[in-house]
């Protein structure tokens, strides 16, 4: 039984992550032990009551009670609680004897798919950041477990191998192996400080664990050929290197520090992380030292949460969060809208003064540009669309013409949220297709939420909180000066710069002491004005922001300096030396009288958000161009991991494992494959009277076949074992016509007729030979490690 020990402080956030992982199909396999604290002080649980409510990823909610044992809250979850793969939310509630709640926390756990339900793929709505850290934690736990299991294996063998026991109670096996009170197995293996080393030349100190040829560990864990851990961290994979952090994957490494030890950082996949305290996947930085997602991966983001309820209650203006949410989406091409009634509709009373109820109304002209893809030409050549409630029920055909009182549409406005006031918040769908009801389907979608100074605004969601952003302009140059929190959409591709290239003497005013400005008049958008009282008049400076050919900021250049302050600048700042050379440079476009911090390009459809006097792209094609999606990051982590999965049969072992690949055995596995069926269906009968067979009626698995044999009669053979596992004979595979291959008497399997039902095994070839008998070779709970040539079993305690 796997035990998860959890500490809950009353002052902790209501929703917390955890490293708990459950496997579908397991029964009675997990135990949760809770310690409760109040401001750091352990709570006395006498007479307290523990209840746990579980919400599975399919939305099913289950409840059960725990019990108190030795001042611990103990809960053993029933298997139906983790019967569905995906995120599992556990609400842990502590109450007093009178059933008054003391505290209630929600713990997030993961359920992975067991082998009994292979058609369902586990999904998660966790953020990229949370997913990365959980996968890292899984690999660290797996590496630690390998070390613990290796030590347990050695302890269990001491009684049988007393001659290998050291004076201090340790265990040494192999030529040149040495240890005191630890364990060392393999030629030249060494362990000090109570640690364990398994493999040729493996070495561990200070209680650490090293598994693999020439693996080396301090107090941490190293698994794989030539892995090295100099600190208390972990490394898994061929030539992986780690300090106090973690490295996983083939040649995953962190840099050596000035002290000769590997730095404290995390590296996943081939590559070297050279920045302490950071997380890197291959050659791409994901997390910075302060725990934030690297800007290059998630520009403008503060984080990602699993639901809108998890957003912070207050943030800085312009802070951006992602929210993963499952929404119900119409299968039809329909547009959802939500807002004040007067934002979208005009009543007959408002338009013509007729005093009619707002149920007689039409859509405003002002929104036509935003809904044109959902309209058609209706009766009287009026632009129209079909109106549906938020639940998808058809209401009416409505016109888009606020000034035409003869084209008013009658429908139940109250069904979309109207209660008699123009300021009432309504919600509805419009669609070009007419049907009695829209058809909905669930879709996982990522919202982008922005703090606008007073609340969270959904600027990119499936439902589109508003039909328009706060503004829409043709290109970046048309964006206005704006306050933080302003949101606009660009209609065409554009940039926050203007590029110039040509002969230096054609573009620059060049004199003997350098260049003194530009020979052309730049666009007004590239000019910042500054003012100075000069004598009796006000002098206006025209200033441009200058960037080199690579987009690096150079300086602000005054185009019209005062005579006494006019100086020349060297051509070398552009990387040229002569007026005849070709020069390339950029001028930045000013917004809010501020130059661009970096030069950026934008695409049609991008949403830009004003923060700290800079327009930031937060949605659209460009916003997602330079960082990995959650799926891409998960794929990269999976590709770099040596985790081979949970297996329950021999055929599930990875087919082409790399050194250091490890698997968890979830059910006993024998060294044979079992078959049951009708004799004549399974065996080709050569002599029906003598009940003899010359080969099988099916193709056996490759792992039951020894190497091809040099025989003119058949390719190779398989060994046959009876139901008790005893070897009773063998049969040829692909016997040649006219040959005399060995015959097998089916009576050895206890049958008397070709119509009988028979049970037998085929032995599995382990690389050296076929087994002498069928027996269990791997037990549930074992860890298997591929050492390059074979699977090595680390048995369960």
């Amino acid at each position: 039984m796997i035990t998860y020990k959890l500490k809950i402080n009353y002052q902790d956030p209501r929703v917390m992550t955890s490293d708990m992982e459950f496997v579908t199909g397991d029964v009675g396999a997990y135990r949760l032990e809770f310690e409760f604290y109040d401001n750091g002080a352990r709570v006395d649980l006498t007479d307290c009551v523990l209840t746990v409510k579980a919400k599975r990823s399919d939305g099913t909610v289950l409840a059960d009670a725990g019990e108190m044992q030795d001042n611990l809250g103990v809960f053993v979850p029933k298997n139906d609680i983790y019967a569905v793969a995906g995120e599992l939310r556990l609400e842990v509630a502590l109450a007093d004897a009178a059933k008054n709640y003391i505290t209630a926390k929600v713990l997030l756990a993961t359920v992975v798919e067991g082998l009994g339900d292979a058609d369902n793929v586990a999904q998660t709505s966790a953020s990229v950041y949370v997913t990365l850290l959980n996968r890292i934690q899984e690999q660290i736990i797996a590496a630690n477990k390998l070390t613990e299991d290796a030590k347990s294996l050695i302890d269990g063998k001491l009684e049988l191998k007393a001659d290998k026991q050291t004076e201090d109670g340790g265990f040494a096996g192999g030529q040149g192996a040495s240890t005191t009170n630890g364990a060392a197995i393999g030629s030249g293996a060494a362990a000090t400080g109570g640690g364990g080393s398994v493999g040729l030349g493996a070495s561990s100190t200070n209680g650490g664990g090293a598994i693999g040829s020439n693996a080396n560990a301090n107090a941490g864990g190293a698994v794989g050929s030539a892995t090295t851990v100099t600190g208390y961290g972990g490394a898994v994979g061929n030539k992986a290197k780690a300090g106090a952090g973690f490295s996983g994957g083939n040649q995953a490494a962190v840099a050596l520090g000035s002290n000769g030890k590997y730095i404290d950082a995390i590296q996943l996949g081939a590559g070297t992380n050279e920045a302490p305290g950071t997380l890197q996947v291959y050659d791409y930085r994901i997390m910075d030292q302060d725990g934030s997602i690297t800007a290059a991966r998630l520009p403008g983001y503060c984080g990602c949460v699993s639901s809108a309820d998890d957003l912070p209650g207050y943030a800085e203006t312009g802070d951006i969060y992602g929210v993963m949410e499952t929404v119900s989406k119409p299968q039809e091409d329909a547009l959802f809208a939500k807002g004040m009634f007067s934002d979208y509709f005009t009543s007959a009373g408002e338009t013509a003064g007729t005093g009619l109820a707002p149920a007689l109304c039409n859509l405003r002209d002002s929104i036509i540009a935003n809904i044109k893809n959902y309209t058609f030409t209706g009766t009287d050549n009026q632009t129209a669309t079909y109106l549906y409630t938020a639940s998808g029920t058809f209401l009416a055909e409505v016109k888009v013409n606020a000034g035409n009182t003869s084209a008013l549409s009658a429908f139940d406005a109250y069904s979309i949220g109207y209660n008699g006031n123009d300021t009432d918040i309504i919600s509805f769908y419009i669609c070009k297709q007419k049907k009695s009801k829209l058809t909905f389907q669930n879709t996982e979608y990522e919202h982008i939420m922005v703090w606008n100074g007073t609340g969270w605004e959904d600027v990119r969601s499936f439902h589109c909180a508003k039909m328009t952003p706060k503004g829409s302009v043709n290109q970046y140059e048309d964006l206005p000066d704006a306050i933080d929190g302003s949101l606009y959409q660009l209609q065409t591709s554009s940039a926050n710069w203007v590029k110039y290239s040509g002969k230096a003497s054609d573009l620059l005013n060049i004199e003997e002491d350098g260049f003194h400005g530009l020979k052309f008049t730049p666009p007004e958008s590239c000019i910042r004005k500054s003012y100075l009282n000069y004598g009796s008049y006000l002098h206006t400076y025209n200033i441009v922001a200058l960037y080199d050919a690579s987009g690096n900021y150079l300086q602000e250049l005054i185009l019209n300096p005062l005579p006494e302050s006019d100086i020349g600048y060297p051509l070398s700042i552009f990387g040229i030396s002569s007026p005849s050379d070709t020069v390339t440079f950029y001028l930045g476009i000013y917004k809010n009288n501020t130059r661009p911090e970096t030069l950026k390009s934008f695409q049609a459809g991008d949403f830009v958000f004003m923060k700290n006097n800079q327009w930031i792209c937060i949605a659209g094609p460009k916003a997602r161009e330079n960082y990995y999606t959650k799926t891409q990051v998960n794929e990269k982590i999976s590709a770099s991991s040596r985790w081979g999965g949970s297996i329950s049969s021999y055929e599930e072992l990875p087919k082409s494992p790399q050194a250091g690949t490890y698997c968890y055995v979830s059910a006993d596995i024998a060294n044979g494959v079992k078959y049951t069926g009708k004799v004549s269906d399974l065996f080709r009968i050569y002599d029906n009277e003598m009940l003899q067979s010359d080969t099988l009626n099916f193709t056996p698995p490759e792992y039951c076949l020894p190497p091809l044999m040099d025989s003119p009669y058949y390719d190779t053979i398989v060994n046959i074992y009876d139901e008790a596992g005893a070897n009773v004979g063998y049969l040829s595979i692909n016997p040649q016509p006219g040959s005399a291959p060995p015959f097998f008497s089916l009576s050895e399997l206890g049958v008397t007729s070709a119509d009988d039902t028979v049970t037998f095994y085929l032995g599995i070839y382990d690389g050296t030979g076929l087994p002498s008998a069928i027996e269990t070779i791997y037990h549930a709970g074992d860890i298997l490690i591929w050492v390059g040539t074979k699977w090595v079993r680390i048995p369960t305690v």
Side-chain angles (χ1 to χ4, degrees):
M1 178 177 288
I2 298 174
T3 300
Y4 290 112
K5 300 181 183 293
L6 304 130
K7 293 183 179 180
I8 294 179
N9 196 310
Y10 291 173
Q11 288 73 36
D12 286 339
R14 170 169 168 75
V15 180
M16 300 183 293
T17 59
S18 76
D19 60 357
M20 290 187 291
E21 183 178 274
F22 303 87
V23 180
T24 62
D26 284 354
V27 178
Y30 306 94
R31 172 187 171 97
L32 279 57
E33 294 181 357
F34 299 94
E35 294 179 5
F36 291 86
Y37 293 82
D38 188 3
N39 283 318
R42 183 76 177 273
V43 176
D44 184 359
L45 301 181
T46 303
D47 296 329
C48 289
V49 177
L50 178 71
T51 58
V52 178
K53 185 184 294 182
K55 183 176 182 181
R56 303 189 318 209
S57 61
D58 63 355
T60 301
V61 178
L62 304 169
D64 203 353
E67 59 181 5
M68 301 301 174
Q69 298 178 9
D70 299 326
N71 207 38
L72 290 172
V74 178
F75 178 69
V76 178
K78 305 292 192 303
N79 59 299
D80 58 344
I81 285 180
Y82 49 87
V84 178
E87 182 186 74
L88 179 65
R89 301 173 75 94
L90 298 175
E91 184 184 70
V92 180
L94 183 68
D96 59 22
K99 296 187 178 179
N100 297 313
Y101 280 111
I102 300 174
T103 187
K105 305 295 183 184
V106 176
L107 302 179
L108 305 182
T110 301
V111 179
V112 298
E113 193 69 60
L115 295 171
D117 196 12
D119 291 332
N120 292 330
V121 179
Q123 301 290 333
T124 179
S125 60
S127 69
V128 176
Y129 181 41
V130 173
T131 301
L132 280 171
L133 296 183
N134 284 343
R135 293 299 299 272
I136 295 165
Q137 182 68 14
E138 290 170 8
Q139 292 205 5
I140 293 173
I141 291 172
N144 290 339
K145 188 177 189 308
L146 292 175
T147 302
E148 293 172 2
D149 286 343
K151 293 167 67 176
S152 298
L153 164 65
I154 295 164
D155 291 341
K157 295 296 184 180
L158 288 179
E159 294 295 328
L160 301 176
K161 298 290 184 180
D163 57 311
K164 297 295 184 180
Q165 183 171 322
T166 66
E167 293 182 0
D168 295 322
F171 179 85
Q175 184 177 5
S178 63
T179 186
T180 52
N181 58 348
I185 302 175
S187 176
T192 61
S197 301
V198 179
L200 172 66
S203 174
S204 64
T205 59
N206 297 323
I211 301 175
S213 173
N214 293 311
N216 186 287
N218 186 356
V223 179
S225 175
T227 53
T228 301
V229 177
T230 58
Y232 295 166
V236 177
N238 177 47
K239 297 182 180 178
K241 314 293 183 186
F246 179 79
S247 295
N250 179 37
Q251 299 189 51
V254 297
L256 269 175
S258 58
N259 60 357
K261 297 181 179 180
Y262 290 104
I263 63 173
D264 181 6
I266 298 173
Q267 170 70 32
L268 299 179
T272 300
N273 188 346
E274 299 184 355
T278 63
L279 163 64
Q280 181 170 294
V281 176
Y282 291 96
D283 294 327
Y284 299 95
R285 176 83 61 79
I286 301 296
M287 185 186 77
D288 289 324
Q289 289 176 314
D290 60 0
S292 64
I293 302 298
T294 303
R297 306 279 82 78
L298 298 173
Y301 268 48
C302 294
C304 189
V305 294
S306 58
S307 71
D309 293 337
D310 298 328
L311 286 167
Y314 177 80
E316 295 293 327
T317 299
D319 282 353
I320 302 165
Y321 279 77
V323 177
M324 297 303 299
E325 186 176 352
T326 299
V327 297
S328 189
K329 169 186 179 298
Q331 293 181 355
E332 300 81 4
D333 186 15
L335 177 67
F336 180 83
K338 183 177 181 180
M340 289 194 300
F341 180 86
S342 59
D343 286 344
Y344 301 109
F345 291 94
T346 176
S347 68
E350 175 188 339
T351 302
T354 62
L356 295 176
L360 290 173
C361 54
N362 47 29
L363 290 166
R364 291 186 177 276
D365 288 324
S366 58
I367 65 172
I368 182 62
N370 300 292
I371 66 171
K372 60 183 179 181
N373 292 333
Y374 302 90
T375 62
F376 56 88
T377 302
T379 57
D380 301 325
N381 290 321
Q382 296 292 313
T383 301
T385 185
Y386 293 119
L387 181 68
Y388 295 80
T389 67
S391 61
T393 301
F394 176 77
L395 286 177
E397 176 182 332
V398 292
K399 304 297 188 297
V400 188
N401 190 334
N404 188 349
T405 58
S406 64
L408 296 176
S409 303
F411 65 93
D412 179 13
Y414 296 91
S415 65
I416 61 174
Y418 176 76
N419 287 307
N421 301 302
D422 282 348
T423 56
D424 290 334
I425 301 300
I426 60 172
S427 56
F428 58 95
Y429 281 95
I430 58 173
C431 182
K432 293 171 65 173
Q433 184 178 354
K434 182 179 180 181
K435 56 191 305 188
S436 60
K437 191 173 179 64
L438 299 176
T439 304
F440 286 80
Q441 62 184 6
N442 287 336
T443 302
E444 185 180 63
Y445 196 83
E446 183 181 9
H447 297 246
I448 291 183
M449 308 293 290
V450 178
W451 184 263
N452 61 17
T454 59
W456 290 106
E457 181 172 358
D458 189 347
V459 299
R460 192 204 70 190
S461 74
F462 177 79
H463 276 322
C464 212
K466 296 176 181 168
M467 282 190 175
T468 61
K470 290 182 178 178
S472 179
V473 297
N474 183 50
Q475 59 184 350
Y476 182 88
E477 187 174 356
D478 300 327
L479 286 167
D481 291 340
I483 62 172
D484 278 6
S486 298
L487 175 69
Y488 280 78
Q489 186 178 28
L490 302 177
Q491 300 302 316
T492 61
S493 297
S494 52
N496 62 357
W497 46 264
V498 179
K499 182 179 180 180
Y500 296 91
S501 185
K503 188 177 179 180
S505 58
D506 293 338
L507 297 174
L508 306 173
N509 284 321
I510 302 175
E511 299 180 11
E512 291 184 1
D513 60 342
F515 74 94
H516 288 251
L518 306 175
K519 271 194 173 180
F520 59 91
T521 301
E524 283 295 322
S525 59
C526 294
I527 297 176
R528 176 175 73 87
K529 295 186 180 299
S530 181
Y531 303 94
L532 175 69
N533 285 318
Y534 182 69
S536 59
Y537 71 96
L538 183 68
H539 183 73
T540 301
Y541 287 114
N542 293 324
I543 302 171
V544 294
L546 200 59
Y547 302 76
D548 66 16
S550 299
N552 300 309
Y553 173 67
L554 296 175
Q555 65 185 57
E556 284 194 318
L557 178 67
I558 300 176
L559 300 181
N560 58 336
L562 293 171
E564 60 267 27
S565 60
D566 187 11
I567 61 174
Y569 297 95
L571 294 175
S572 60
I573 67 172
F574 296 113
I576 63 174
S577 58
S578 169
S580 61
D581 289 343
T582 298
V583 65
T584 298
F585 59 89
Y586 296 85
L587 299 182
I589 296 176
Y590 284 91
K591 295 297 175 185
N592 285 11
N593 217 30
T594 304
R595 69 169 181 84
E597 290 183 357
T598 57
L599 299 186
K600 299 177 182 178
S601 299
F602 302 89
Q603 297 180 21
D606 280 351
F607 286 84
V608 291
F609 188 83
M610 175 59 75
K611 181 178 181 181
N612 297 330
N613 292 323
Q614 298 288 321
W615 285 107
I616 302 169
C617 183
I618 59 172
K622 192 63 182 178
R624 307 193 67 84
E625 185 177 274
N626 294 320
Y627 67 90
Y628 292 125
T629 64
K630 178 175 63 178
T631 300
Q632 289 172 321
V633 171
N634 286 343
E635 288 174 351
K636 286 185 174 295
I637 293 174
S638 297
S640 66
S641 174
R642 290 296 182 270
W643 169 239
S646 177
I647 64 171
S648 60
S649 65
Y650 193 89
E651 63 188 3
E652 293 172 358
L653 282 168
K655 299 301 185 292
S656 301
Q658 300 179 14
T661 299
Y662 54 99
C663 301
Y664 173 77
V665 180
S666 61
D668 290 353
I669 298 176
N671 56 354
V673 182
K674 187 176 183 179
Y675 296 90
T676 298
K678 187 177 178 181
V679 171
S680 58
D681 290 339
L682 297 172
F683 293 92
R684 190 170 79 179
I685 308 299
Y686 176 80
D687 187 330
N688 196 59
E689 183 177 349
M690 299 295 295
L691 205 59
Q692 289 185 327
S693 172
D694 63 347
T695 191
L696 300 170
N697 271 338
F698 61 90
T699 301
E702 289 187 7
Y703 48 81
C704 290
L705 303 176
L708 294 178
M709 306 177 68
D710 184 15
S711 168
Y713 307 115
Y714 46 81
D715 292 337
T716 187
I717 63 169
V718 290
N719 273 10
I720 299 175
Y721 306 78
D722 62 19
E723 190 169 3
N727 186 3
V728 293
Y730 59 91
L731 269 177
S732 64
I733 300 299
N734 297 326
Q736 301 302 312
S739 66
F743 298 110
F744 173 66
S745 176
L746 295 169
S747 61
E748 295 288 346
L749 297 176
V751 297
T752 59
S753 165
D755 295 324
D756 287 350
T757 298
V758 64
T759 296
F760 65 97
Y761 290 87
L762 297 182
I764 293 175
Y765 182 76
D766 66 359
T768 60
L770 293 167
S772 59
I774 301 300
E775 59 185 353
T776 298
I777 54 174
Y778 305 135
H779 296 270
D782 286 351
I783 294 290
L784 303 181
I785 302 177
W786 182 257
V787 296
T789 57
K790 63 179 180 179
W791 291 102
V792 174
R793 169 180 172 247
I794 298 180
T796 184
V797 179

